[in-house]
Amino acid sequence: MDDIVIVFKERPSLREPILIEGLPGVGNVGKLAAEHLVDQLKAVKFAEVFSKFFPPQVLVNDAGTIRLVSNELFYVKREDYPNDLIILVGDYQGLTPDGQYELADRTLRMAKEMGVRRIYTLGGYGLGRMIEKPRVLGAATDLELVEEMKTHGVTFSKGEPGSGIVGASGLLLGLGNLYDMRSACLMGETSGYFVDPKGAQAVLEVLARILNVKIDFKELESKAEQIDMITSKLRETEPPPEPKREDLGYIG
Amino acid sequence: MDDIVIVFKERPSLREPILIEGLPGVGNVGKLAAEHLVDQLKAVKFAEVFSKFFPPQVLVNDAGTIRLVSNELFYVKREDYPNDLIILVGDYQGLTPDGQYELADRTLRMAKEMGVRRIYTLGGYGLGRMIEKPRVLGAATDLELVEEMKTHGVTFSKGEPGSGIVGASGLLLGLGNLYDMRSACLMGETSGYFVDPKGAQAVLEVLARILNVKIDFKELESKAEQIDMITSKLRETEPPPEPKREDLGYIG
Amino acid sequence: MDDIVIVFKERPSLREPILIEGLPGVGNVGKLAAEHLVDQLKAVKFAEVFSKFFPPQVLVNDAGTIRLVSNELFYVKREDYPNDLIILVGDYQGLTPDGQYELADRTLRMAKEMGVRRIYTLGGYGLGRMIEKPRVLGAATDLELVEEMKTHGVTFSKGEPGSGIVGASGLLLGLGNLYDMRSACLMGETSGYFVDPKGAQAVLEVLARILNVKIDFKELESKAEQIDMITSKLRETEPPPEPKREDLGYIG
Amino acid sequence: MDDIVIVFKERPSLREPILIEGLPGVGNVGKLAAEHLVDQLKAVKFAEVFSKFFPPQVLVNDAGTIRLVSNELFYVKREDYPNDLIILVGDYQGLTPDGQYELADRTLRMAKEMGVRRIYTLGGYGLGRMIEKPRVLGAATDLELVEEMKTHGVTFSKGEPGSGIVGASGLLLGLGNLYDMRSACLMGETSGYFVDPKGAQAVLEVLARILNVKIDFKELESKAEQIDMITSKLRETEPPPEPKREDLGYIG
C-alpha cells in the first residue's frame, strides 16, 4: 500500500486558503484548539488521511461501528474575507521520525496544490508546573511575521522553547520553507500534566484575532472547569509544596 | 526480496468466500478459534504467507525438520451454502506498525481478487481478571451489521473496547472499508493471563451461528479443563485476594 | 545506496559448491567454527558484503588502518571431491528483522547463481548452564537429510530447540526452501555465557565428517583451555551452587 | 519526499577540495572543532542537508524565527594551496543505522562530484575520566596515511579505540574506501562528561599542521576555562576519589 493514503470526499475550490494544524501533543492543546475551531466555524470535512505511520488501530464508537485511525481535513469558506481556511486535526501524529517527515511533506504538497501560502500550527508549551494565565508563545518562518504575531499578543521569548519544536507543528514550518510558505507556530503554555482546555483557549483567542473570526469559548471554559475541579481535589489530598524562589517571581 | 511473499499451493475457485481471521493475540483467543475451525471443517491449505515483517525465525518440529514462520490460508467449499470460506491463521502478526498495515493490505488485495466481500476477525478482549462465562464483544463496519451481530448473541457495549482494536483484527476492518468490505470483529472475553480455550469457544459458538455450521467443541473443552487445573493449582498456593466492591457487582 | 553491497575481489568458478555459514550468535559458536574452517582449509576470500543493516561502524586494526564492518565470503576448491566449498563469516548479523531477511535472501540469490544446492549453517544452542561434553543438535529442511545427519552423530531431540532457530542460521534454511536448497543447521551446545571454542569444536567435528575433511583442532583446544582457566577462577571466588535434581540426571 | 534533500545556495568550483567533517558526538569534540574552523577560516556556506533521518524538529533562534534541523556544508578557497576545503557541520547525525549509511553515502557521492579525494573526520575519544592533556588518536584508510599522520603528532595506539569508530566519522572512512578516497579520522581524548573545547583544540592543532593553516584558539580556550570553572566547582562539593592503582600508571 502507499505510505499515506488521502481519501477525498470532496475537492473544494478555495480562495488562497490558510492552513491551520492542531494534532495531539503536549496537553493536547493544539488538538483541542483546532477541534473547537472546526465546531465553531462549522467546518466541512473534505478528506481523510490514513497512513502506515499511524498505529495499526481502529477506534470503536458508542454504536459499535469502527473507524481506522486517521487525520482529517476540513474547510471553511469565508465570503467576506480574502482567505478561506483548511483545518487539519487527527487521532495521531506519525509514530516515527521518518513518518513525521513524510506526513508533513505530503500535507504540504497537498496544501500547495490547493493554493495555501500561510500556515498556523497550534501546540502546547509544557512548563512542568501549574499555570494560572497561560501565555501564547510563538515562532515563525521570518522576522516580518514575528512582528505581525507580536501585534496579536503572541510572546516571543529568548530561549523559549529552548529545545525547539518537535513534531508536526514544527515540521510544517521547517519543511514549509522549502515550499515557500510563510508560517507561524502558536504554543499555549500548559502544565502538560492534563488535557488543557485553558491553554487551547489562549491559543484560539490569539488565532481569532489573526483570522478576524468570532469564537464562543463556553464549551472550552466548561471543560476547563471540570479539569480544575479534578486537579483541585488532587491537590487537597496532598500538602501544598513549599513555594520556591523562582516560582515567586511569577506572583508579582 | 519482496516485503511479503505469498506461495500458492493451489488456486481454488470459490463462491463469494467469507474471510475469517484468527492470528496470535490476547489469550491467543483468535488463533485458537480459527485453528479449531480449520480442524473441524477440514479446511484445505492453499497458500503460505512469508514476510520480512515476521521474526527472522524457523520453527523445528518433532521430526527435526524446519519451517519458516508464516501465515497460512485455508479454504472450505460449502456446497449447500451461498458462501465458501477462507481461513487465515499463523504464527505471528507483523512486528511493526507499518508491517501490520502492509500485511493487512496485502491480505485484503488477495481477498478482493478471490471475491471476498465479508470478513470476520476473531480476537480476545483482555479483562485483566479471571472470567467464568466470557461474553463475545463485537465491532463492525456499519450499523446494519452491528444489528445483525446482536441477533447472533454478540454484545455491543459502550466504551468496550475503550482503546479500540489494535492489530490485524482491527486493521482488516478499518482498511477493508477502503476495499468496500463489510466486516465484523468478534472478541471473546479473557483474563489475558493464559492461552484461553474458553474464550475461543465462546467466539466460535457465535461464529457457528453466523456461518450456520456445526462445530464439535470437545477438544477445546478438554484444553480448557487442563488450563483450569493449572490455574486452580496456582490459586491454591496463594491466599485468595480480598473481594473488591467492583468485583462483587459481577457475582449477582 | 543499495541496501546490500557485495564487492567481488574474484569471481571463482566452483563445482556445485556447498555453502557453510558461521556468523556471530550464542557463544559465538558458529563464527568460531567457520573462522577455524577458513584457517584450516586455507580458504580464499572472494567477496565482501557491506550493508546498511549492519551497524554504522568501522573497526581499527593494530596498525591503525580501518575496515568497514562486513560479512566475508571465502571459497575452497577441492579437486578430489564433487563439491567445492563457500564459507560465509562476518562481524555482524543484520540488526533488524527485515535486515536479517534481506541479507539471507541476498546470500541465497548469490549462492544460487554460483550453483549452491546444499547449505550447512553453524550455531550455538544456549543451555544457560555449564556443559562438559557439548552435543551437536540438528535441524534440516527434509526428513532424508535429518536421517543423513544422524549417521554423522547429530542429535535430533524432540522439543530442542523449543523456540526454533532465530537469525541467519535459521533463515538460510527457511528461505532456502524457496530456492530449492536442501540444508541443515548444526548447533553446538554451549552455556552461552562465554565465547565457546568447545562448542565450536563439537560442531566442526561433525562437519568434518560430513564434508570428509581433516581438521586440526589444536588452536581451538588451546582457546578452550584459556576460557576454562578464566571460568574456573571465577568459580573459585564463588561458593559452588547446590546440585539440583535435574542437573544430577546428566552425571549418570 | 526524498530521504535526503540537499539545497544548494551556490555551486562553488573548487580545486581538489579536502573534506573535513565534524558532527555531534562524544564531548561534541568534532562539532566544536569543525565549527571553530568555519569561523577562523571565514568559510562560506553553500549547501544545507535536510533528511528524514534527522529528528522531526525545528530550532528557534533568539529573534523567534525557526530553522529545520540540518547539516551544513561550507567551502574555503585557498589561493596559495593546492587544495580548497569543504567543511561539514550540523545539528545531528542520522538517528538510525541505515540513516547513518544513507547520509554518509550521499555526502560521499556529492564529495566525489566536487572532486574530493581526501577526507579528515573529527571526533572525540571518550575516556570516562578527566584528562589534563588530551592526545589525538588516529585511524586511517591506509598505512601510508597512518605514517603521514604520525609526523603531524597523531597517536596510533594498539587497541585504541577498541570498539572501532561508530557514526559518521567512521563511515566516511569505511564507505569512502568504495569511492577511492584516502581518509583519516582524528579523535581528541575527552572525558565525555562535558562539551569539551580542550579536546577540540587538540584536534584542531593537529589539523592546522596537516592543512598548513593558522588558527587562533582564544575563543576555544575561553570556552575551556568556563567548563573548567564549572567542573572544579562540582569537584569541590564532592570528596576527591581515592587514586586507583591503574590511574597511578598515568602519573609517571
Side-chain angles (χ1 to χ4, degrees):
Chain A
M1 65 178 285
D2 290 338
D3 290 353
I4 298 164
V5 176
I6 303 185
V7 178
F8 285 88
K9 293 172 179 302
E10 188 187 342
R11 297 256 183 193
S13 171
L14 303 173
R15 284 166 314 131
E16 209 177 299
I18 294 170
L19 174 62
I20 294 150
E21 172 270 343
L23 291 170
V26 183
N28 260 2
V29 168
K31 180 178 157 82
L32 280 174
E35 284 177 354
H36 191 70
L37 195 67
V38 164
D39 286 351
Q40 285 290 311
L41 302 187
K42 296 185 176 43
V44 181
K45 178 151 74 173
F46 69 95
E48 289 174 329
V49 183
F50 304 107
S51 172
K52 62 188 209 190
F53 301 122
F54 295 145
Q57 185 184 8
V58 296
L59 303 175
V60 184
N61 66 23
D62 288 349
T65 56
I66 59 97
R67 64 176 190 78
L68 187 55
V69 296
S70 67
N71 286 356
E72 294 178 322
L73 289 152
F74 293 79
Y75 70 86
V76 181
K77 293 215 181 194
R78 309 201 303 164
E79 304 235 325
D80 306 337
Y81 298 84
N83 303 98
D84 291 332
L85 304 179
I86 295 174
I87 307 175
L88 171 66
V89 299
D91 302 307
Y92 285 100
Q93 296 202 21
L95 290 179
T96 58
D98 67 317
Q100 289 267 15
Y101 273 93
E102 290 289 357
L103 285 162
D105 188 70
R106 188 72 189 77
T107 302
L108 286 164
R109 218 161 1 116
M110 189 210 59
K112 187 89 181 175
E113 283 162 17
M114 295 182 75
V116 170
R117 292 170 60 186
R118 172 74 56 103
I119 304 173
Y120 295 106
T121 65
L122 314 181
Y125 178 54
L127 298 173
R129 58 178 168 77
M130 302 307 285
I131 177 86
E132 207 47 47
K133 291 209 166 221
R135 297 175 303 165
V136 174
L137 293 166
T141 48
D142 57 275
L143 281 172
E144 201 181 318
L145 201 48
V146 169
E147 292 308 316
E148 189 185 319
M149 290 299 107
K150 284 180 184 170
T151 67
H152 293 298
V154 180
T155 303
F156 288 80
S157 167
K158 200 176 141 178
E160 288 183 307
S163 58
I165 307 167
V166 176
S169 286
L171 273 191
L172 288 173
L173 270 64
L175 280 176
N177 257 338
L178 305 179
Y179 287 86
D180 288 321
M181 292 191 190
R182 299 180 59 207
S183 314
C185 177
L186 306 176
M187 291 161 278
E189 288 185 323
T190 175
S191 70
Y193 299 149
F194 303 95
V195 168
D196 189 348
K198 242 185 228 170
Q201 180 169 345
V203 164
L204 269 190
E205 283 169 353
V206 167
L207 189 65
R209 287 196 289 274
I210 294 172
L211 300 178
N212 197 15
V213 294
K214 273 203 176 158
I215 293 173
D216 181 321
F217 289 107
K218 260 178 238 149
E219 215 177 312
L220 275 184
E221 282 165 357
S222 121
K223 280 187 197 172
E225 277 164 30
Q226 288 170 34
I227 300 280
D228 274 352
M229 267 174 49
I230 296 167
T231 58
S232 65
K233 272 187 198 163
L234 286 175
R235 256 179 285 176
E236 277 168 28
T237 63
E238 294 178 38
E242 295 274 313
K244 296 186 201 143
R245 204 175 305 164
E246 66 262 42
D247 288 344
L248 291 172
Y250 285 88
I251 290 176
Chain B
M1 65 177 288
D2 290 337
D3 290 352
I4 297 165
V5 176
I6 303 185
V7 178
F8 285 88
K9 293 173 178 303
E10 189 186 341
R11 298 256 183 193
S13 171
L14 304 173
R15 285 167 314 132
E16 208 177 298
I18 293 170
L19 174 61
I20 294 149
E21 171 270 345
L23 291 170
V26 183
N28 260 3
V29 167
K31 179 178 158 82
L32 280 174
E35 284 177 354
H36 191 68
L37 196 66
V38 164
D39 285 350
Q40 284 290 310
L41 302 187
K42 296 186 176 44
V44 181
K45 177 151 76 173
F46 69 95
E48 290 174 329
V49 182
F50 304 107
S51 172
K52 62 188 210 191
F53 300 123
F54 296 145
Q57 184 184 8
V58 296
L59 303 174
V60 184
N61 66 23
D62 288 349
T65 56
I66 59 97
R67 65 174 189 77
L68 187 55
V69 297
S70 67
N71 286 356
E72 294 179 322
L73 289 153
F74 293 79
Y75 69 85
V76 182
K77 294 215 180 192
R78 309 200 304 164
E79 304 233 324
D80 305 337
Y81 298 84
N83 302 99
D84 291 332
L85 304 179
I86 295 173
I87 307 175
L88 171 66
V89 298
D91 302 307
Y92 285 99
Q93 296 201 22
L95 290 179
T96 56
D98 68 317
Q100 289 268 16
Y101 273 93
E102 290 290 357
L103 285 161
D105 188 71
R106 189 71 189 78
T107 301
L108 287 164
R109 218 164 356 118
M110 190 209 59
K112 186 89 182 176
E113 283 163 17
M114 297 182 75
V116 170
R117 293 170 58 187
R118 172 74 56 102
I119 303 172
Y120 296 106
T121 65
L122 314 181
Y125 178 54
L127 298 173
R129 58 179 168 78
M130 302 306 285
I131 177 87
E132 208 47 47
K133 291 210 167 220
R135 296 176 302 167
V136 174
L137 293 167
T141 47
D142 57 276
L143 281 172
E144 202 182 318
L145 201 47
V146 168
E147 292 309 315
E148 188 185 320
M149 291 298 106
K150 283 179 183 170
T151 68
H152 294 298
V154 180
T155 301
F156 288 81
S157 168
K158 200 175 142 178
E160 288 182 307
S163 59
I165 307 168
V166 175
S169 286
L171 273 192
L172 287 174
L173 270 64
L175 280 177
N177 257 338
L178 305 179
Y179 288 85
D180 287 321
M181 292 193 190
R182 299 180 59 208
S183 314
C185 177
L186 307 175
M187 291 161 278
E189 288 185 323
T190 176
S191 70
Y193 298 150
F194 303 94
V195 169
D196 190 349
K198 243 185 227 170
Q201 181 169 344
V203 163
L204 269 190
E205 282 169 354
V206 166
L207 189 64
R209 285 196 289 275
I210 295 172
L211 300 178
N212 196 17
V213 294
K214 274 203 177 158
I215 294 173
D216 182 321
F217 288 108
K218 259 178 238 151
E219 215 176 311
L220 276 184
E221 282 164 357
S222 121
K223 279 187 197 170
E225 278 165 29
Q226 288 169 35
I227 300 280
D228 274 352
M229 268 174 49
I230 296 167
T231 59
S232 65
K233 273 187 198 163
L234 286 176
R235 257 180 282 176
E236 278 168 27
T237 62
E238 294 178 39
E242 296 274 315
K244 297 185 203 147
R245 206 175 305 165
E246 66 262 43
D247 287 345
L248 291 173
Y250 285 88
I251 289 176
Chain C
M1 65 177 287
D2 290 338
D3 290 353
I4 298 165
V5 176
I6 303 185
V7 178
F8 285 88
K9 293 172 178 304
E10 190 186 340
R11 298 255 183 192
S13 171
L14 304 173
R15 285 165 315 131
E16 208 176 300
I18 293 170
L19 174 62
I20 294 148
E21 171 270 344
L23 291 171
V26 183
N28 260 2
V29 168
K31 180 179 157 83
L32 280 174
E35 284 177 354
H36 191 69
L37 196 67
V38 164
D39 286 351
Q40 284 289 311
L41 302 186
K42 295 183 176 45
V44 180
K45 178 151 74 173
F46 70 95
E48 289 174 330
V49 182
F50 304 107
S51 172
K52 63 188 208 189
F53 299 123
F54 295 145
Q57 184 184 9
V58 296
L59 303 175
V60 184
N61 66 23
D62 288 350
T65 56
I66 59 95
R67 66 176 188 77
L68 187 55
V69 296
S70 67
N71 286 357
E72 295 179 322
L73 289 152
F74 293 80
Y75 69 85
V76 182
K77 295 216 180 191
R78 308 200 304 165
E79 304 234 325
D80 306 336
Y81 298 84
N83 303 98
D84 292 332
L85 304 179
I86 295 173
I87 307 174
L88 171 65
V89 299
D91 302 306
Y92 286 100
Q93 295 201 21
L95 290 179
T96 57
D98 67 317
Q100 288 268 15
Y101 273 93
E102 290 289 357
L103 285 161
D105 189 71
R106 189 71 189 79
T107 302
L108 286 164
R109 216 160 4 115
M110 189 210 59
K112 187 89 182 176
E113 283 163 17
M114 296 182 74
V116 170
R117 294 170 57 186
R118 173 73 57 101
I119 303 172
Y120 296 106
T121 65
L122 315 180
Y125 178 54
L127 298 174
R129 58 179 167 76
M130 301 307 285
I131 177 86
E132 208 47 47
K133 291 211 166 219
R135 296 175 304 166
V136 174
L137 292 166
T141 48
D142 57 276
L143 282 172
E144 202 181 319
L145 201 49
V146 169
E147 292 309 315
E148 188 186 319
M149 290 299 106
K150 284 179 183 170
T151 68
H152 294 298
V154 179
T155 302
F156 288 81
S157 168
K158 200 176 142 178
E160 289 182 307
S163 60
I165 306 166
V166 175
S169 286
L171 272 192
L172 287 173
L173 269 65
L175 280 177
N177 258 338
L178 304 180
Y179 287 86
D180 287 321
M181 292 192 190
R182 299 181 58 209
S183 315
C185 176
L186 307 175
M187 291 161 277
E189 289 185 321
T190 176
S191 70
Y193 299 150
F194 304 94
V195 169
D196 189 349
K198 244 186 228 169
Q201 181 169 343
V203 163
L204 269 189
E205 282 169 355
V206 167
L207 190 64
R209 286 197 290 274
I210 295 172
L211 300 178
N212 196 17
V213 295
K214 274 204 177 156
I215 293 172
D216 183 320
F217 289 107
K218 259 178 240 151
E219 216 177 310
L220 275 184
E221 283 165 355
S222 121
K223 279 187 196 171
E225 278 165 30
Q226 288 169 34
I227 300 281
D228 276 352
M229 269 175 48
I230 296 167
T231 58
S232 65
K233 272 188 200 163
L234 286 175
R235 258 179 282 177
E236 278 168 28
T237 62
E238 296 178 36
E242 295 275 314
K244 297 185 202 147
R245 206 176 302 166
E246 66 261 43
D247 287 345
L248 292 172
Y250 285 88
I251 290 175
Chain D
M1 65 176 287
D2 289 338
D3 290 352
I4 297 164
V5 176
I6 303 184
V7 178
F8 285 89
K9 293 174 178 301
E10 187 186 342
R11 298 256 184 192
S13 171
L14 303 173
R15 283 165 316 129
E16 208 177 300
I18 293 170
L19 174 62
I20 294 149
E21 171 270 344
L23 291 171
V26 183
N28 260 3
V29 167
K31 179 178 158 84
L32 280 174
E35 284 178 354
H36 191 69
L37 196 67
V38 164
D39 286 351
Q40 284 290 310
L41 302 186
K42 297 183 176 44
V44 181
K45 177 150 75 174
F46 69 95
E48 288 174 331
V49 183
F50 304 106
S51 172
K52 63 188 208 191
F53 300 122
F54 295 145
Q57 183 183 9
V58 296
L59 303 175
V60 183
N61 66 23
D62 289 349
T65 57
I66 60 95
R67 65 175 188 78
L68 188 54
V69 295
S70 67
N71 286 357
E72 295 179 321
L73 289 152
F74 294 79
Y75 69 85
V76 182
K77 293 216 181 193
R78 309 200 303 164
E79 304 234 325
D80 306 336
Y81 298 84
N83 303 98
D84 291 332
L85 305 179
I86 295 173
I87 307 174
L88 171 66
V89 299
D91 302 306
Y92 285 100
Q93 296 201 21
L95 289 179
T96 58
D98 68 316
Q100 288 268 14
Y101 273 93
E102 290 289 357
L103 285 162
D105 188 71
R106 188 71 189 79
T107 301
L108 287 163
R109 217 162 0 118
M110 189 210 59
K112 187 89 182 177
E113 283 163 17
M114 296 182 74
V116 170
R117 292 171 60 187
R118 173 74 56 102
I119 303 172
Y120 295 106
T121 65
L122 315 181
Y125 178 53
L127 298 174
R129 58 180 168 77
M130 301 307 284
I131 177 85
E132 206 48 46
K133 291 210 165 219
R135 296 176 303 167
V136 174
L137 292 166
T141 47
D142 57 276
L143 281 172
E144 202 182 319
L145 200 49
V146 169
E147 292 308 316
E148 189 186 319
M149 290 299 106
K150 284 179 183 170
T151 67
H152 293 298
V154 180
T155 302
F156 288 81
S157 168
K158 201 176 141 177
E160 288 182 308
S163 58
I165 306 166
V166 175
S169 287
L171 273 191
L172 288 173
L173 270 64
L175 280 176
N177 258 337
L178 304 179
Y179 287 86
D180 287 321
M181 292 193 190
R182 298 181 59 208
S183 314
C185 176
L186 307 174
M187 291 161 277
E189 289 186 321
T190 176
S191 70
Y193 299 150
F194 303 95
V195 169
D196 189 349
K198 243 185 227 170
Q201 180 169 345
V203 164
L204 269 190
E205 282 168 354
V206 167
L207 189 65
R209 286 196 289 275
I210 295 171
L211 300 178
N212 196 16
V213 295
K214 274 204 177 157
I215 294 173
D216 183 321
F217 289 107
K218 259 177 238 149
E219 216 177 310
L220 276 184
E221 282 164 356
S222 121
K223 280 186 195 171
E225 278 165 29
Q226 288 169 35
I227 300 282
D228 275 352
M229 268 174 50
I230 295 165
T231 59
S232 66
K233 272 187 199 163
L234 285 174
R235 256 179 285 176
E236 278 168 27
T237 63
E238 296 177 37
E242 294 275 314
K244 296 185 202 146
R245 206 176 303 164
E246 66 262 43
D247 288 345
L248 291 172
Y250 284 88
I251 289 174

